[in-house]
Amino acid sequence: MKIALGLLWLCLALAGQQVEDLGLSPEQMEDKLLLLVNRERSGRGLTELRFDPLLRAMARAHSRKMMDENRLGHDFPGYEKLDERAARAGVYFSKVGENVAKSETFVVRFFHEALLASPEHRENILDGDFTHLGVGIGKTGDMYFVTQEFGTLFEPLAREEAEREMARRLSIRFNGRMALPESTAGEMREFCRRSAALFLQGQPQPAIPESFGSAAVLNLNFTDLDAGMLRILGELQGMRLLHWSVGMTFGRTARNPGGTYALSLLLFPDLRDAPGMSGVMDDFVFRALNATRGTTADSRLARLAAEITRAFYRSPGDVPHGKADYSFFSVYQANALQAVPGDIAKMIAGNANIRSLGIDVFYPLAEGLPGNYFIVAILGNKKPGK
């Protein structure tokens, strides 16, 4: 009795379904198939798929292609691949999938059940990554051709908006950055944008201008800013930044037909964050020199050294006070203070006239000026009789 009642219920249900679908237009059948997919997903705790008109146009075009070829298929001779068709349809995507079916029935649930019965088609229907769906149904004679186009779609931001959003996230993570003159900040930003454009095209990267000092460039591509930020944090793990600049662009490439952001991040590590670096930089250099021969610190010479480092920064060929005025005179630029240049240490160690030293280390970027490097001036006490 239970079996008979069950069969009766099924027959009545199918009969009701047939009556319900009788006379539906292909467009109405498309809408119903989308509804059935979303019922299936919501019943399993999955997010429902949103309708996308571009995916529907793409699905309808593929159903027409199958009708013209009079056979079911995803690929045909001289026919574009799925991701190429999606790009030509105008959608921006990180992932696409396609289901196709054909049947002489006009009952939409039969299409749905037949697709669910196929493991590959079922995988697309229940894929948690997909966000949108477009359905296209065409009819020739008594045969219906059905296409479902699934996509993980996104709407790209304009370049300036994307850069501002990424800069905001980076500022939160790295507690801001040094405020540089707008002319310098603009030059760095344009460098990053040019670098991002070349990276998107797979072209060689431009050389970092020497005037920037110690810097590196991180290039990444991604379709989602959240995922992009996670990748940045993974790459910069443990790095202490003093300044950074970001440039972004967006486009389609053969490798990323759905569209991708290309990011270039110009990184200026804090050069004071080095092994053995502690305390005042001037003292660090003084201790390194005193390891070769003991001297005393001269505050007056240190003040003169400070004038020299800043003059050297403004114009390396024009520094005050002649070398002849001192037992020792040296001014140089370096990307690290981990060791004093060997020739300088040797000269101080071998010159008995040097009894005291004045040292200044100028770090432009730490003072909001362009240049991620150190300028070091070392003065020895005046010669006897001076």
Side-chain angles (χ1 to χ4, degrees), residues 78-148:
Y79 192 56
E80 292 174 312
K81 301 297 183 183
L82 175 59
D83 56 0
E84 295 171 337
R85 287 188 276 125
R88 185 163 54 83
V91 295
Y92 295 107
F93 61 90
S94 58
K95 180 177 177 179
V96 286
E98 181 176 77
N99 286 348
V100 295
K102 68 174 183 176
S103 176
E104 292 182 349
T105 179
F106 59 85
V107 181
V108 178
R109 179 169 291 280
F110 286 173
F111 299 150
H112 178 64
E113 297 296 342
L115 289 167
L116 278 176
S118 166
E120 292 182 358
H121 297 89
R122 180 187 183 87
E123 184 177 349
N124 281 335
I125 292 172
L126 301 179
D127 192 322
D129 290 340
F130 288 135
T131 58
H132 292 76
L133 173 62
V135 180
I137 297 178
K139 182 183 179 185
T140 175
D142 294 328
M143 185 66 68
Y144 290 91
F145 286 86
V146 182
T147 303
Q148 293 175 322

Side-chain angles (χ1 to χ4, degrees), residues 65-348:
K65 178 64 176 177
M66 292 190 295
M67 289 165 58
D68 293 342
E69 298 288 338
N70 195 29
R71 67 182 179 91
L72 202 63
H74 298 283
D75 301 306
F76 302 97
Y79 192 56
E80 292 174 312
K81 301 297 183 183
L82 175 59
D83 56 0
E84 295 171 337
R85 287 188 276 125
R88 185 163 54 83
V91 295
Y92 295 107
F93 61 90
S94 58
K95 180 177 177 179
V96 286
E98 181 176 77
N99 286 348
V100 295
K102 68 174 183 176
S103 176
E104 292 182 349
T105 179
F106 59 85
V107 181
V108 178
R109 179 169 291 280
F110 286 173
F111 299 150
H112 178 64
E113 297 296 342
L115 289 167
L116 278 176
S118 166
E120 292 182 358
H121 297 89
R122 180 187 183 87
E123 184 177 349
N124 281 335
I125 292 172
L126 301 179
D127 192 322
D129 290 340
F130 288 135
T131 58
H132 292 76
L133 173 62
V135 180
I137 297 178
K139 182 183 179 185
T140 175
D142 294 328
M143 185 66 68
Y144 290 91
F145 286 86
V146 182
T147 303
Q148 293 175 322
E149 301 290 9
F150 299 86
T152 307
L153 307 189
F154 63 96
E155 187 64 33
L157 300 175
R159 181 180 67 181
E160 291 79 5
E161 187 178 355
E163 288 176 346
R164 282 195 301 271
E165 176 58 21
M166 190 58 74
R168 184 188 68 81
R169 298 182 184 203
L170 289 167
S171 292
I172 293 172
R173 173 60 181 81
F174 294 108
N175 299 317
R177 56 182 172 179
M178 296 301 300
L180 297 181
E182 180 52 36
S183 59
T184 301
E187 181 185 1
M188 291 177 176
R189 185 168 54 250
E190 288 306 313
F191 171 83
C192 290
R193 287 176 174 176
R194 185 167 70 254
S195 176
L198 291 171
F199 177 65
L200 179 68
Q201 299 161 11
Q203 299 296 315
Q205 289 290 289
I208 299 174
E210 291 184 7
S211 61
F212 289 179
S214 182
V217 175
L218 173 65
N219 291 312
L220 295 172
N221 66 280
F222 45 83
T223 57
D224 179 81
L225 265 59
D226 290 336
M229 187 64 189
L230 288 175
R231 290 185 61 191
I232 290 173
L233 296 179
E235 293 286 342
L236 303 187
Q237 190 171 12
M239 181 180 290
R240 180 182 171 189
L241 294 179
L242 185 59
H243 187 73
W244 45 264
S245 184
V246 61
M248 294 178 67
T249 189
F250 184 88
R252 299 183 193 269
T253 66
R255 188 173 181 180
N256 298 282
T260 184
Y261 292 105
L263 170 142
S264 284
L265 192 59
L266 183 63
L267 306 168
F268 294 93
D270 192 337
L271 299 181
R272 297 166 298 187
D273 188 27
M277 181 76 71
S278 62
V280 180
M281 294 181 292
D282 303 353
D283 293 341
F284 179 82
V285 175
F286 183 76
R287 291 194 301 269
L289 289 172
N290 265 1
T292 62
R293 187 173 73 80
T295 61
T296 60
D298 188 318
S299 59
R300 183 182 62 85
L301 287 179
R303 287 193 296 272
L304 294 173
E307 295 178 13
I308 291 170
T309 55
R310 284 144 183 82
F312 185 89
Y313 175 76
R314 292 190 298 269
S315 177
D318 181 23
V319 295
H321 309 292
K323 294 183 180 181
D325 294 335
Y326 304 95
S327 300
F328 183 82
F329 180 104
S330 179
V331 57
Y332 62 92
Q333 180 177 316
N335 289 335
L337 293 179
Q338 294 168 283
V340 177
D343 57 337
I344 292 177
K346 183 177 180 180
M347 290 177 64
I348 291 177

Side-chain angles (χ1 to χ4, degrees), residues 27-41:
E27 182 174 0
Q28 291 172 321
M29 297 174 75
E30 293 167 354
D31 294 339
K32 186 165 184 178
L33 189 51
L34 173 59
L35 177 64
L36 290 173
V37 167
N38 278 333
R39 283 181 181 172
E40 195 73 37
R41 290 175 65 91

Side-chain angles (χ1 to χ4, degrees), residues 2-33:
K2 289 182 179 179
I3 294 175
L5 287 175
L7 289 175
L8 176 60
W9 177 86
L10 179 60
C11 292
L12 291 173
L14 291 178
Q17 180 77 56
Q18 291 175 348
V19 171
E20 182 182 344
D21 290 354
L22 186 63
L24 290 182
S25 68
E27 182 174 0
Q28 291 172 321
M29 297 174 75
E30 293 167 354
D31 294 339
K32 186 165 184 178
L33 189 51

